């Protein structure tokens, strides 16, 4: 009930109010550039502080989470060592400009992750549980369908104009046929 109440209050009430609050400065000044508005109202330094502090908070939580996970995986290594290495590595990657590759990274994830879902669904529907540590037909299906999505991303061909959907359809077809042939 609380989720439904939150949804009912947020969409028809909060979103129009937030839109109006965002539009008032634009209507008052005629300026549509958010940075010029912030500086024009004398809020440049507070906005910068909010940006820095929020980034600091998120990144410290990420660093703590990474070091905690690595310490749980490798309990013989002290957590401070993981924190130090991850902090230095993250700083070096940031200085090297890793953010420039972020969109490419997201496109790569969009190509290689959707076929996994198709394989899981077909495997669950067909009850293809296996006791082997590596289920090679699933791995090969994933590799082929991810390759199809990467080729579609590169513009070589497309089935649906959506590479992730192409990969999912390919994985469904390949793994479905393999699964059915195995059951017969």
């Amino acid at each position: 009930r609380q989720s439904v109440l939150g949804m009912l209050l947020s969409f028809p009430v909060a979103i129009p109010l937030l839109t109006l609050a965002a539009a008032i400065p634009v209507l008052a000044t005629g300026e549509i550039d958010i940075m010029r508005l912030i500086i024009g109202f004398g809020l440049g330094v507070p906005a910068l502080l909010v940006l820095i502090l929020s980034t600091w908070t998120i990144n410290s939580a990420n660093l703590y989470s990474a070091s905690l996970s690595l310490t749980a995986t490798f309990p013989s290594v002290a957590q401070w060592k993981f924190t130090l290495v991850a902090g230095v590595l993250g700083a070096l990657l940031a200085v090297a400009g890793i953010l420039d590759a972020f969109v490419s990274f997201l496109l790569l994830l969009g190509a290689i992750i959707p076929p996994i879902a198709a394989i899981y669904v077909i495997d669950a529907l067909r009850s293809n549980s296996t006791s082997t540590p590596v289920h090679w037909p699933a791995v090969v299906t994933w590799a082929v369908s991810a390759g199809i999505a990467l080729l579609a991303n590169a513009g070589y061909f497309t089935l649906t104009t959506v590479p992730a959907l192409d990969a999912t359809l390919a994985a469904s077809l390949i793994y479905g046929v393999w699964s059915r042939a195995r059951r017969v």
Side-chain angles (χ1 to χ4, degrees), residues 16-32 34 37 41:
L17 289 176
L18 289 173
T19 304
L20 181 64
I24 288 173
V26 173
L27 293 172
T29 63
E31 180 63 58
I32 59 170
I34 187 71
L37 278 170
F41 284 120

Side-chain angles (χ1 to χ4, degrees), residues 72-83:
T73 305
F74 305 103
S76 61
V77 180
Q79 185 175 1
W80 70 268
K81 292 178 182 178
F82 285 124
T83 304

Side-chain angles (χ1 to χ4, degrees), residues 98-168:
I98 194 168
L99 194 57
D100 295 337
F102 187 62
V103 172
S104 299
F105 174 69
L106 291 179
L107 288 172
L108 176 67
L109 290 180
I112 66 174
I113 291 176
I116 296 171
I119 293 167
Y120 270 122
V121 168
I122 292 171
D123 206 45
L125 291 174
R126 304 293 290 178
S127 300
N128 288 329
S129 59
T130 179
S131 60
T132 60
V134 178
H135 191 58
W136 288 109
V139 173
V140 170
T141 299
W142 169 78
V144 169
S145 56
I148 288 170
L150 292 172
L151 289 172
N153 261 343
Y156 288 107
F157 72 92
T158 185
L159 302 172
T160 65
T161 70
V162 180
L165 185 56
D166 292 350
T168 304

Side-chain angles (χ1 to χ4, degrees), residues 27-48:
L27 293 172
T29 63
E31 180 63 58
I32 59 170
D33 185 356
I34 187 71
M35 290 310 299
R36 287 187 182 157
L37 278 170
I38 289 172
I39 292 169
F41 284 120
L43 299 173
V45 172
L48 181 63

